Amino acid sequence: MKTIKSLFTLIAGIAMIAFLGSFTATAVGLPQYVLLFDAGFAAMALIPKGSFSVALMAVTPDLSALTTDFVKFGGSILRKMVNTMDIGEGWTIFKNVKEPIAMPKLSALGAPRPYSADDNTSGNGAKFTDRVLTVYQSKWDFDVDPEVYRNSYLASDSKAPFYQFILEQMGLEYYAAINDSVLLDGVRNGAGTTAAAIADGLRTILTAEATAETIAAITVPELTATTAVTGVETFMSGHSAWKRDQKGVIFCSFTTFDNYKKHYRVLNGFGFNPRANGEYYLDGFKDIKLKGVSWMGTNGGLISSFKNALAFGTDGERIQVAASARRNISEVRLMMPVGIQIADLDSIAISDTFLSGEAAGGGEG
């Protein structure tokens, strides 16, 4: 009986793997992974494995584009192009956040003074302040029922790797949702139903800090194709003196970056060239770059980061996956903990337009 049970488990395992196909995932700043199934299929995990490309999501595929020719002759499935997790320089990534973690900062109280024989210790000494990074679990549930596609995308002449396409796309769009909806404008709501409700994003966190007057925004003009260079330099000039001699990055939307490029070319005889490393640096500053990023969306503001002061947290180097079989249907749940915080408020700066969420301005160059 034990042998029969073991054989059944083995057959079930082979059937499940054949059914689900391969699932791979990669996130910017995190290792690449391959999905492994355990013998009982109660849970799965993504673990580091060679050089794979990524994946993340969509719901039930839209069959409206199906044509007779596709069914008759087969064809390639074109996958929706989405953003990746666009985080890297300027961020510190915490990969094993099992519980809220404090990010302590040490500073000094008081200041040097002229010598005297008296003891003057009052108000002097070490000062510790903490900012707390908390990650929240997120999930994406979906089913895969092959019978839905028997006479369409699973037609006998089709050569498309069907299950691989579905699972990889689900993975890609999971990361895209975190990038596009959470990093900037997320608002934590445990009872929410959208990606934006998973965790507080940078603008939500910094709006609260500005209201509490723990950070002040730098006033800049609308960054259009005729003002962007002046506006970005005004922003940088409003930084503390110590930051001007540091390595740092100013994040902006791609629209703002395009406006800066147009304005710079007008001011400098159509010259707008990156350094040897392909990055664009501000004139007159030692090591400050301007970087367009997808997670800024249409926000017309600026946020700078020094010493990788922006913090992104997740749990371990894995995406948890739970899967089960219900008759001929595969039920899958993907889970990814997400948390965002500012490690050190003194090591960032923001423009007033960043907080307002005002859209990046257009305009002809």
Side-chain angles (χ1 to χ4, degrees):
M1 191 69 181
K2 184 176 181 181
T3 302
I4 295 175
K5 183 177 180 181
S6 299
L7 180 60
F8 177 80
T9 300
L10 177 61
I11 294 173
I14 295 172
M16 177 68 80
I17 293 173
F19 178 74
L20 289 179
S22 63
F23 178 82
T24 58
T26 283
V28 174
L30 298 177
Q32 295 175 319
Y33 310 97
V34 61
L35 183 64
L36 296 186
F37 296 76
D38 70 11
F41 310 109
M44 294 170 265
L46 293 170
I47 62 173
K49 173 70 175 180
S51 176
F52 286 82
S53 54
V54 223
L56 272 162
M57 352 304 254
V59 207
T60 304
D62 183 358
L63 304 184
S64 62
L66 184 61
T67 66
T68 303
D69 283 345
F70 185 92
V71 175
K72 183 175 181 180
F73 301 111
S76 297
I77 297 175
L78 298 178
R79 292 190 286 187
K80 177 183 177 182
M81 300 303 294
V82 295
N83 285 329
T84 57
M85 286 277 283
D86 194 6
I87 58 176
E89 184 178 5
W91 291 81
T92 296
I93 299 175
F94 295 81
K95 299 179 181 179
N96 296 286
V97 185
K98 305 294 185 184
E99 58 189 19
I101 60 173
M103 297 179 287
K105 177 184 177 181
L106 172 63
S107 57
L109 294 172
R113 59 187 292 171
Y115 176 80
S116 71
D118 298 331
D119 289 334
N120 302 109
T121 59
S122 178
N124 298 328
K127 176 184 178 182
F128 284 92
T129 55
D130 293 335
R131 294 188 64 80
V132 179
L133 173 65
T134 303
V135 303
Y136 301 93
Q137 187 65 276
S138 66
K139 71 167 188 172
W140 199 337
D141 298 337
F142 62 97
D143 293 340
V144 180
D145 181 356
E147 293 304 315
V148 173
Y149 315 109
R150 173 176 293 277
N151 296 313
S152 55
Y153 294 104
L154 284 180
S156 59
D157 286 336
S158 177
K159 303 302 188 296
F162 185 70
Y163 296 111
Q164 178 179 341
F165 270 56
I166 289 180
L167 296 172
E168 287 190 354
Q169 189 67 23
M170 294 294 287
L172 285 170
E173 297 200 26
Y174 198 120
Y175 286 121
I178 301 301
N179 184 83
D180 298 349
S181 300
V182 183
L183 292 184
L184 179 67
D185 286 325
V187 179
R188 169 65 183 170
N189 178 3
T193 59
T194 64
I198 295 172
D200 285 343
L202 292 177
R203 194 162 72 90
T204 302
I205 295 168
L206 290 169
T207 297
E209 297 292 348
T211 300
E213 298 184 348
T214 52
I215 189 172
I218 299 170
T219 301
V220 300
E222 183 183 5
L223 303 175
T224 68
T226 58
T227 65
V229 172
T230 304
V232 170
E233 291 182 350
T234 298
F235 175 68
M236 192 60 224
S237 295
H239 283 56
S240 301
W242 71 265
K243 296 176 186 174
R244 297 170 66 96
D245 197 38
Q246 300 291 319
K247 180 179 181 180
V249 55
I250 298 174
F251 294 110
C252 65
S253 69
F254 282 117
T255 299
T256 296
F257 186 85
D258 287 343
N259 287 339
Y260 183 92
K261 174 180 64 179
K262 292 174 183 178
H263 191 202
Y264 191 95
R265 285 174 171 170
V266 170
L267 297 176
N268 296 277
F270 292 93
F272 185 69
N273 301 306
R275 290 188 186 173
N277 62 359
E279 303 284 2
Y280 294 87
Y281 291 78
L282 270 62
D283 291 347
F285 296 95
K286 182 178 179 180
D287 201 6
I288 310 296
K289 69 180 67 173
L290 181 68
K291 189 173 184 64
V293 289
S294 59
W295 54 262
M296 282 287 282
T298 61
N299 188 292
L302 302 168
I303 175 172
S304 62
S305 175
F306 298 81
K307 300 181 179 180
N308 293 332
L310 308 182
F312 177 85
T314 188
D315 183 9
E317 297 184 354
R318 68 183 64 194
I319 291 177
Q320 295 175 320
V321 182
S324 61
R326 177 170 55 86
R327 298 187 179 90
N328 65 311
I329 296 172
S330 173
E331 300 176 323
V332 183
R333 170 172 290 176
L334 305 180
M335 293 176 289
M336 179 181 178
V338 176
I340 298 159
Q341 187 54 274
I342 310 296
D344 178 14
L345 285 176
D346 291 335
S347 294
I348 68 162
I350 53 175
S351 68
D352 55 342
T353 47
F354 175 85
L355 293 179
S356 69
E358 180 180 343
E364 296 298 325

